[in-house]
Amino acid sequence: MKELFVVTHTESVHHVEGRVGGWYDTGLTARGRGDAVATAERLAALVGDGDVEIFSSDLLRAAETAAAIGNRLGRPVTPSASLREISYGVAGGKPQAWLDARYVPAPDDDRLDHPCGIEGAETRRDVALRVFPCVEAIVARPCQTQIIVTHGFTLTLVIAAWMKVPVEATGFLSFPAKSGSITHLRQDDFFRNRAVVSLADASHLRP
């Protein structure tokens, strides 16, 4: 079987400061570092002693989460800018209220290409067009157990890429996930079906 575990990074400084994340590059809080260790322990129990590959967004909060996993499993981490969170352009690092006052939600007839009213922000299509090829390349590798560490918005598109949902059909997709969650995806060897075994599990984290 092919096993893919998708992790959302744990609590970051921008969360507690109430700032817009995106490509704004902050590290983990003390709680985030503790949760990263707990996430690593849970993954160790899930993947066992076999070979495993770890891939991560290159943004600091994801990289630090991935480093805790890599340290626990004794495996290197391969960083990729393609696994980054959606960029909020000039809003990155500003107070969340600044973005909330200016953000224009996408209408039903333009879900993929709507610019949201923020200079330099990515569209949903922009994110999909970098995430899909990255996930496809990772999954095509021969290693049967893999871990991807990414971000809350990007998680949805990682799952969509795994399920082979066309980019054009992702406009309304959303899989909410808490920080430090683990999503377990599996492809069986016989039917070749791709399943979502568990979605955004955070039971390994303290309340």
Side-chain angles (χ1 to χ4, degrees), residues 2 48-49 55 90 113 117 124 134 161 166 203:
K2 187 79 167 184
D49 298 326
F55 303 86
V90 298
D113 299 308
R124 182 180 290 252
C134 180
S203 61

Side-chain angles (χ1 to χ4, degrees), residues 112 124-126 128-129 132-133 136 157 160 164-171:
L112 290 173
R124 182 180 290 252
R125 188 189 300 275
D126 290 334
L129 290 179
F132 272 52
E136 289 164 4
L157 295 171
K164 294 187 175 294
V165 176
V167 170
E168 296 296 332
T170 62

Side-chain angles (χ1 to χ4, degrees), residues 8-114:
T8 50
H9 69 80
T10 54
E11 184 183 78
S12 182
V13 171
H14 81 275
H15 290 150
V16 298
E17 291 184 345
R19 296 188 178 276
V20 178
W23 288 12
Y24 179 58
D25 206 10
T26 59
L28 300 180
T29 62
R31 173 170 182 154
R33 290 190 293 272
D35 284 350
V37 171
T39 302
E41 288 295 333
R42 177 59 176 154
L43 284 166
L46 289 168
V47 305
D49 298 326
D51 191 23
V52 59
E53 294 179 330
I54 306 170
F55 303 86
S56 174
S57 158
D58 64 348
L59 293 174
L60 185 58
R61 56 196 185 269
E64 290 182 349
T65 303
I69 296 167
N71 289 340
R72 176 61 180 85
L73 299 180
R75 296 291 191 274
V77 176
T78 301
S80 174
S82 296
L83 295 170
R84 287 185 176 191
E85 182 60 297
I86 187 172
S87 172
Y88 291 102
V90 298
K94 287 184 165 49
Q96 185 64 46
W98 187 96
L99 176 61
D100 294 342
R102 295 164 175 79
Y103 192 89
V104 180
D108 284 358
D109 62 350
D110 189 18
R111 303 290 299 181
L112 290 173
D113 299 308
H114 178 68

